Amino acid sequence: MPTRQICIIGGTFNPIHMGHLQMARSAQAQCMADEVWFMPTGQPWQKPNADIAPADTRKKLVELAIEGVHSWRVEPFEIEHQGPTYTADTLEKLTDLHPNHKFFFVIGADQLDNLTSWKHWQSLFDYARIGVVERSQWGEFKVPEALKRHLLQDRLFRIPMPSVNVSSTQIRRQFELLASPNTEMAETARFKLEANLPAAVFKYLLKHPVYGRAQP
């Protein structure tokens, strides 16, 4: 069986937004990957007390966001796992399950600085090349000293990405403002949500309020 190249994008996706989709497009192009797997976290060990929507809901939102893109799919491995999940363990198991796949694990530049705090972080490079998405396409690629040898060995590499100024935290805040008695504020929130969420995700969250007190 020929080798297939797979980009894995992990995250809470709380909720998924246009920035995540641009990240996937940039990563797939840079890696010349056959597929992109979106892998929602189950119980993220670094955010044990965070206000995170149920895993099944976040998975549903990802499915809605990527519907129609034949080379993108949801990888439910971590949300089907009981208890906290660790990326190194996940990549090891996925490698065992898919021995003919070559994996790229894609992270944001903000995650690079604390990568060495991840459990068994050294093992990540045994199972995947690590791609770091940077919104600034030019300038120096700043890599922590402990990771520079992986950069030199081409196990760590940069993925340029057009700037998309949106975060899941901002999205959740806009859903709170959507219920504001201030009409102008509520309309502005709706405009920002429509611009920053895939249409199917926005429609779903209006019908099934998960964040704030969203109303249709």
Side-chain angles (χ1 to χ4, degrees):
M1 183 181 295
T3 300
R4 292 184 65 76
Q5 303 206 111
I6 311 296
C7 282
I8 298 178
I9 300 180
T12 52
F13 300 115
N14 190 41
I16 190 169
H17 52 67
M18 290 300 193
H20 294 125
L21 302 189
Q22 182 57 59
M23 185 177 185
R25 285 189 288 268
S26 297
Q28 187 170 20
Q30 176 83 1
C31 301
M32 295 185 289
D34 297 292
E35 296 180 3
V36 175
W37 294 0
F38 291 79
M39 189 168 66
T41 56
Q43 181 183 335
W45 68 275
Q46 288 185 321
K47 301 179 181 179
N49 300 313
D51 184 17
I52 298 175
D56 286 346
T57 298
R58 292 182 284 113
K59 176 175 177 284
K60 174 67 175 177
L61 296 176
V62 175
E63 289 171 341
L64 289 171
I66 67 176
E67 189 174 12
V69 184
H70 76 277
S71 61
W72 292 3
R73 73 172 180 85
V74 177
E75 170 49 64
F77 185 90
E78 290 202 340
I79 63 174
E80 293 175 353
H81 178 83
Q82 296 296 317
T85 54
Y86 304 98
T87 302
D89 296 339
T90 297
L91 290 177
E92 179 182 11
K93 291 181 174 67
L94 288 176
T95 299
D96 289 342
L97 289 170
H98 306 282
N100 293 311
H101 289 2
K102 178 181 178 181
F103 290 112
F104 303 89
F105 188 74
V106 181
I107 63 174
D110 58 323
Q111 296 173 291
L112 185 61
D113 287 338
N114 70 351
L115 189 67
T116 56
S117 72
W118 293 17
K119 186 176 180 181
H120 304 315
W121 68 270
Q122 298 95 332
S123 298
L124 295 170
F125 300 94
D126 294 334
Y127 308 112
R129 292 180 66 207
I130 308 299
V132 183
V133 174
E134 282 205 319
R135 293 178 181 178
S136 59
Q137 299 194 43
W138 308 105
E140 183 184 358
F141 181 33
K142 297 179 181 178
V143 176
E145 193 64 36
L147 295 171
K148 285 186 176 178
R149 70 182 181 90
H150 297 289
L151 179 67
L152 294 173
Q153 294 168 353
D154 199 31
R155 302 297 296 167
L156 180 71
F157 64 101
R158 180 186 202 172
I159 300 174
M161 168 182 154
S163 181
V164 180
N165 187 23
V166 59
S167 71
S168 294
T169 301
Q170 292 169 349
I171 294 292
R172 295 193 299 273
R173 175 57 178 157
Q174 295 307 319
F175 271 111
E176 294 174 3
L177 296 175
L178 196 60
S180 171
N182 183 314
T183 302
E184 183 177 353
M185 189 174 291
E187 288 180 352
T188 299
R190 175 179 286 269
F191 173 80
K192 290 181 178 180
L193 288 168
E194 288 179 334
N196 292 316
L197 288 174
V201 171
F202 183 45
K203 182 178 180 181
Y204 181 91
L205 289 173
L206 287 177
K207 188 175 182 180
H208 305 88
V210 175
Y211 307 106
R213 293 179 298 161
Q215 297 295 330

